Amino acid sequence: MPTLRLVNMKIAFVGKGGSGKTTLSSLFIRHLAATGAPVVAIDADINQHLGAALGLDEAEAAKLPAMGDHLPLIKDYLRGDNPRIASAETMIKTTPPGEGSRLLRVREDNPVYDACARPVELDGDTVRLMVTGPFTDADLGVACYHSKTGAVELCLNHLVDGRDEYVVVDMTAGSDSFASGMFTRFDITFLVAEPTRKGVSVYRQYKEYARDYGVTLQVIGNKVQGPDDVDFLRAEVGEDLLVTVGHSDWVRSMEKGRPPRFALLEDANRRALRLLQTAVDVTYGQRDWVRYTEQMVHFHLKNARSWGDERTGVDLAAQVDPGFVLGEQVATAAPA
C-alpha cells in the first residue's frame, strides 16, 4: 500500500516536575497560534496545568472535559468499520489503526473534538485544547494513572496532520512517558532541563530509553541565570542543547493571572520560540511511516501480552492489520 508523505508536526514537552515544561509548552502554543497556524494542544500530564498556563481561570480549567471520561466514545469513533476490531470494548490504548479505521485530522470537526476539545482564545487567535483529566479520589486504589493517558495515546495513533499544522503535548513528568509507546508518537521532543544535576538526570534517562526508537530529542535549558549555567548544560547534554531561557517578567505576570498581550513577550524569549519552531519545521518530510506503524504494532503486541489479552478476553494481536501502513490511501479513504 503506498504511503502518504504527510507532515506530522507532533511536538512533546517533557521534563522533571517543576522544570517549567508546562510554561514553555504554553508559550510555544501561543507563539504558533500567533503565526496563524492550526494548533491542537493536549495536556497529557495528570497534574493539569496547561489550561491555566494558557490563560484559563481555575473555574474554566476545572470545566474542561476529560478525555479519559470519553474513552468509550473515542474508541467507538476511531474503530470505524475496521473488521479486525469486534467492539470498542476490545480496544486498548495501543490499538493501531487498520483498514476501515477512522483517522483524526487537526482542522476537521468530529465527535471526538466535540466531546473532548474546547477552543481557547489567545489574543485573538484560537487553539483547540484537550486534557487527559486529573487523577481523582475515585481512582485511588482501583486505577493506574496511565489508563488516563491512554485516550491521548489512542488519538495520537490515529492522528494525521499536515504542513503548518501542529499538535503540542504537555507530557507526564519525568520518564513516565516510557510506560507506554507514546514517546514514539512525536516528530520532536523538547526536554526542559534546569541547570542542576537533578535537572539533567531526566535527560539522561530519556536519552537512554529513546536511543533505539529514533526519537529526535532537543534540550531547552530553563531558569538559566548566566554563562556558568549555559556551560554546565552544554557539558552535560552536548549538542542536544538547542536554546536556553532565563527569567521572564511576562511569565511572572502570567503566573499571577495578569498576562500582558503576547506581543509584549521579551525579545530574547520570542527568538527562543522561533528557534523551537525552526527545529520543528526541519522535521518536515522526515518521518518514516513504515517504522512509525511498526512501532505502534510493537507496543500494541507488548501490551497485549503483558495485560491486554487477559483484560479484554480476546487475542489482541488479531487487531493488527499486517498490510496497513498509515498512508495516502487510508488517509483519503478512511470513513468519515
Side-chain angles (χ1 to χ4, degrees):
M1 180 177 292
T3 57
L4 173 64
R5 307 313 297 177
L6 291 171
V7 183
N8 269 341
M9 311 296 273
K10 299 185 181 73
I11 306 108
F13 280 79
V14 301
K16 78 174 184 65
S19 64
K21 68 179 180 63
T22 298
T23 298
L24 283 165
S25 63
S26 71
L27 290 176
F28 189 56
I29 290 164
R30 289 176 185 270
H31 166 76
L32 293 175
T35 70
V39 180
V40 172
I42 303 177
D43 192 343
D45 195 339
I46 297 302
N47 298 310
Q48 306 269 274
H49 299 304
L50 184 58
L54 291 174
L56 300 184
D57 62 34
E58 194 171 312
E60 291 172 322
K63 291 179 181 177
L64 292 171
M67 295 175 70
D69 292 343
H70 295 280
L71 193 53
L73 179 150
I74 293 171
K75 290 180 177 180
D76 192 57
Y77 180 76
L78 297 180
R79 182 171 68 98
D81 298 321
N82 188 332
R84 295 177 176 272
I85 304 174
S87 67
E89 289 74 21
T90 62
M91 291 180 75
I92 62 173
K93 62 181 181 179
T94 54
T95 296
E99 190 70 32
S101 295
R102 288 191 180 95
L103 303 178
L104 300 175
R105 296 164 180 81
V106 170
R107 299 174 190 259
E108 71 179 0
D109 294 319
N110 59 54
V112 174
Y113 289 155
D114 290 344
C116 302
R118 293 295 178 267
V120 176
E121 186 175 324
L122 305 171
D123 291 344
D125 304 298
T126 302
V127 302
R128 273 175 165 153
L129 174 61
M130 304 171 74
V131 303
T132 187
F135 200 67
T136 65
D137 290 343
D139 297 318
L140 295 176
V142 296
C144 168
Y145 75 83
H146 295 117
S147 64
K148 294 282 188 179
T149 60
V152 178
E153 184 168 0
L154 199 56
C155 286
L156 290 176
N157 277 346
H158 290 74
L159 178 66
V160 290
D161 41 310
R163 187 179 181 90
D164 299 324
E165 298 175 350
Y166 300 87
V167 179
V168 182
V169 183
D170 183 18
M171 296 284 280
T172 54
S175 56
D176 285 348
S177 307
F178 292 95
S180 71
M182 191 156 63
F183 73 98
T184 67
R185 300 300 87 196
F186 302 100
D187 297 282
I188 191 168
T189 296
F190 291 128
L191 190 145
V192 181
E194 300 170 78
T196 64
R197 286 185 296 176
K198 287 185 178 180
V200 298
S201 64
V202 173
Y203 162 77
R204 294 197 189 95
Q205 288 180 312
Y206 221 99
K207 185 77 170 179
E208 180 180 354
Y209 293 157
R211 192 180 310 275
D212 296 331
Y213 293 95
V215 172
T216 300
L217 184 66
Q218 298 271 260
V219 175
I220 305 171
N222 194 28
K223 305 179 185 179
V224 170
Q225 297 182 7
D228 287 346
D229 287 345
V230 176
D231 291 343
F232 173 82
L233 286 169
R234 198 169 299 283
E236 294 293 331
V237 309
E239 294 181 355
D240 286 340
L241 182 62
L242 177 65
V243 69
T244 61
V245 180
H247 173 79
S248 168
D249 289 333
W250 191 97
V251 169
R252 180 60 60 88
S253 296
M254 181 269 291
E255 291 174 342
K256 292 177 180 177
R258 300 193 296 269
R261 289 184 300 108
F262 186 63
L264 299 177
L265 182 71
E266 299 87 353
D267 288 342
N269 290 324
R270 296 182 69 82
R271 287 195 298 272
L273 295 174
R274 287 196 294 270
L275 186 57
L276 297 188
Q277 185 177 6
T278 298
V280 171
D281 290 347
V282 164
T283 66
Y284 176 82
Q286 293 183 6
R287 167 150 293 168
D288 181 342
W289 283 96
V290 172
R291 183 177 187 181
Y292 187 75
T293 305
E294 288 174 346
Q295 287 176 340
M296 285 192 229
V297 171
H298 167 77
F299 284 104
H300 180 61
L301 295 178
K302 185 176 180 179
N303 278 269
R305 289 190 298 268
S306 63
W307 61 268
D309 287 353
E310 182 178 359
R311 179 84 56 85
T312 61
V314 299
D315 178 12
L316 294 175
Q319 293 181 344
V320 176
D321 186 340
F324 180 91
V325 174
L326 194 59
E328 184 170 10
Q329 299 305 313
V330 296
T332 56

